Amino acid sequence: MYKIFLLISLIFSSVFAQVDANLEIIKKANSLPKILVSVASNASEIETLNKVKKSLVEDLGVSGHFELATAGSQARYEDIPDIISLSNQGVSLFLNLSAQKESSGAYTLMIKLYDINARALILEKNFTTSQEERYVFLAHKAAISINDFFKAPSIDWMDKFVVFSVYKGSGKADIMIGDYTLTYKKTVVSGGLNIFPKWADKDQKTIYYTSYNYKKPTLVKLNIYTRSKDVVMESDGMIACSDVNEDGTKLLITASPNNQPDIYLYETRTKKKTQVTNFSGIDVGAQFIEDDSRIVFVSDRLGNPNIFAKSINSSGVERLVYHSNNNSSATAYKNNIVYSSKDSSNEMGEKSFNLYLISTKTDNLTRLTSSGINQFPKFSNDGQTLLFIKSFAGTSSVGIIRLDYSKSFLFPFNGGRIQSIDW
């Protein structure tokens, strides 16, 4: 049992990787359209609508594609806004919001977007949810729609769930889903120790997670809607699914059937299990790279945790990182790798874990964070955004790094300590 928790601690100690030096930092501050978001003066459902507005403003800011105006202006939803006043204030776009609530509980967000310079209504859409408590997703959908209208780089990841594990006490951890800002949260697995959740499919209907509620540590697949559950693998020691390939047919699993943690390739269609690493130490946290032909993983084969790569079908191992002597946890997108690294303690004696970005094709190294404990980085599906966990003063926050815009954002979680996360 001691060895199991030693392995878990090793994975938890990871911080963040740097952005791949090949990713261009784009700054467009001088060309961003200034947008004003306003609640219609005759709107109903004001309490929820004001929350939608707050989230929508946040989303547009996170996108990096708009400048948020602070001017105060309102108009009835049916009326054209005060074009002259808005123009004088330098506003380029005016977004007017209204809402309707049905007797069934369904909630509809209505938006009208005006081009102030062209003096024209350019976009009008409605977005509906059957559960008012999920209003934040209406804001995300509206932001994505506005962004798409201008053909800006995609922010579709905003409309996806994140899945994360939260410690509730000794031997207790629940699994929750939520939006990326944690405005919406829902528990999907509770009772006992449940950790390392991983999405099993693009539709976000099923997850893999590790449960310590069986006779042995067990990897479980769960449909979060139907509640159907299947046991994938069990292990005498640690077990966790660290990566799922693009079509969901291959898993990378850390397992230790003989008290030695190694990487296994698991094929979901045939249930075939192939051992990929065989080392008398610790190999954990593998990620697919280069069209699933190779993996990146964490190993202590040099005495300290570091980042290595190898072909799935050969025994040769390549060291990828020559920075720091404690590099644990990595995430990959194509040839780009973000890993966590323990930096020297500061003058206050506080630990610092930061994220760094490298590429399998170059020797470039880019630092993404500067302070605190930053852990579990995850690339978005387009590789342009990073999700991570930041811990400070006993509080966990979800962090977002917009790689192309050199911007980062934090969203605090007040329900415990986040153990791991995926999107």
Side-chain angles (χ1 to χ4, degrees), residues 28 34 39 49 80 103 120 127 152-153 182 219 261-262 398:
K28 304 176 180 178
K34 182 179 287 189
V39 172
L49 194 52
I80 297 174
S103 58
F127 306 90
L182 302 184
L219 181 64
D262 280 305
V398 169

Side-chain angles (χ1 to χ4, degrees), residues 71-284:
S73 182
Q74 273 190 308
R76 290 172 54 86
Y77 192 69
E78 300 79 10
D79 296 342
I80 297 174
D82 189 337
I83 300 293
I84 295 177
S85 175
L86 291 169
S87 180
N88 289 338
Q89 296 177 78
V91 174
S92 304
L93 301 169
F94 180 82
L95 182 64
N96 210 7
L97 309 180
S98 191
Q100 291 180 349
K101 185 175 180 179
E102 307 297 333
S103 58
S104 63
Y107 190 91
T108 298
L109 169 67
M110 302 179 291
I111 70 168
K112 286 184 178 181
L113 181 65
Y114 293 87
D115 183 330
I116 299 304
N117 298 321
R119 303 190 175 197
L121 173 66
I122 57 175
L123 181 67
E124 181 175 6
K125 278 196 170 184
N126 295 345
F127 306 90
T128 300
T129 178
S130 60
Q131 303 173 44
E132 187 174 352
E133 64 178 2
R134 292 179 58 177
Y135 68 84
V136 68
F137 288 99
L138 300 182
H140 299 335
K141 290 179 186 295
I144 292 168
S145 182
I146 294 166
N147 187 79
D148 289 348
F149 177 82
F150 291 102
K151 296 181 172 58
S154 176
I155 53 171
D156 287 353
W157 52 267
M158 287 186 178
D159 194 33
K160 291 184 175 294
F161 283 119
V162 296
V163 60
F164 53 101
S165 178
V166 180
Y167 272 124
K168 294 294 185 180
S170 178
K172 297 179 181 179
D174 293 345
I175 293 177
M176 304 181 71
I177 59 172
D179 77 299
Y180 82 96
T181 68
L182 302 184
T183 301
Y184 172 82
K185 300 178 291 291
K186 180 179 180 179
T187 301
V188 294
V189 180
S190 62
L193 183 60
N194 307 285
I195 54 179
F196 300 129
K198 185 76 181 173
W199 287 112
D201 61 282
K202 290 182 178 180
D203 295 333
Q204 297 193 320
K205 293 181 179 179
T206 53
I207 61 171
Y208 296 106
Y209 69 96
T210 300
S211 174
Y212 284 84
N213 301 327
Y214 295 78
K215 291 182 179 179
K216 296 181 179 182
T218 302
L219 181 64
V220 177
K221 184 179 183 180
L222 170 72
N223 186 305
I224 63 175
Y225 294 98
T226 67
R227 313 302 301 170
S228 64
K229 187 183 297 185
D230 297 302
V231 170
V232 179
M233 281 178 60
E234 61 179 22
S235 176
D236 289 326
M238 175 188 174
I239 189 167
C241 176
S242 57
D243 201 12
V244 180
N245 75 337
E246 185 75 11
D247 62 7
T249 60
K250 297 178 182 179
L251 314 181
L252 289 174
I253 297 172
T254 299
S256 48
N258 302 308
N259 292 320
Q260 175 182 307
D262 280 305
I263 308 301
Y264 292 82
L265 174 67
Y266 182 89
E267 299 179 49
T268 60
R269 291 170 179 167
T270 63
K271 299 186 178 180
K272 178 184 177 182
K273 180 177 65 175
T274 303
Q275 188 168 351
V276 180
T277 67
N278 186 6
F279 169 63
S280 59
I282 296 173
D283 290 340
V284 296

Side-chain angles (χ1 to χ4, degrees), residues 10-81:
L10 171 62
I11 292 180
F12 287 175
S13 69
S14 63
V15 191
F16 295 81
Q18 290 183 335
V19 180
D20 190 323
N22 291 338
L23 296 177
E24 182 182 3
I25 303 299
I26 302 171
K27 296 182 179 179
K28 304 176 180 178
N30 294 327
S31 60
L32 297 180
K34 182 179 287 189
I35 185 170
L36 175 62
V37 183
S38 179
V39 172
S41 59
N42 61 333
S44 58
E45 305 301 328
I46 293 297
E47 182 177 358
T48 299
L49 194 52
N50 280 330
K51 295 177 183 178
V52 172
K53 174 189 172 182
K54 179 179 180 297
S55 294
L56 184 46
V57 167
E58 206 165 56
D59 286 346
L60 294 172
V62 170
S63 77
H65 303 149
F66 301 90
E67 179 184 351
L68 282 306
T70 57
S73 182
Q74 273 190 308
R76 290 172 54 86
Y77 192 69
E78 300 79 10
D79 296 342
I80 297 174

Side-chain angles (χ1 to χ4, degrees), residues 354-373:
N354 285 297
L355 297 179
Y356 292 83
L357 175 68
I358 62 172
S359 170
T360 59
K361 302 298 184 182
T362 72
D363 294 328
N364 293 321
L365 176 71
T366 305
R367 184 171 176 166
L368 300 180
T369 61
S370 59
S371 63
I373 298 177

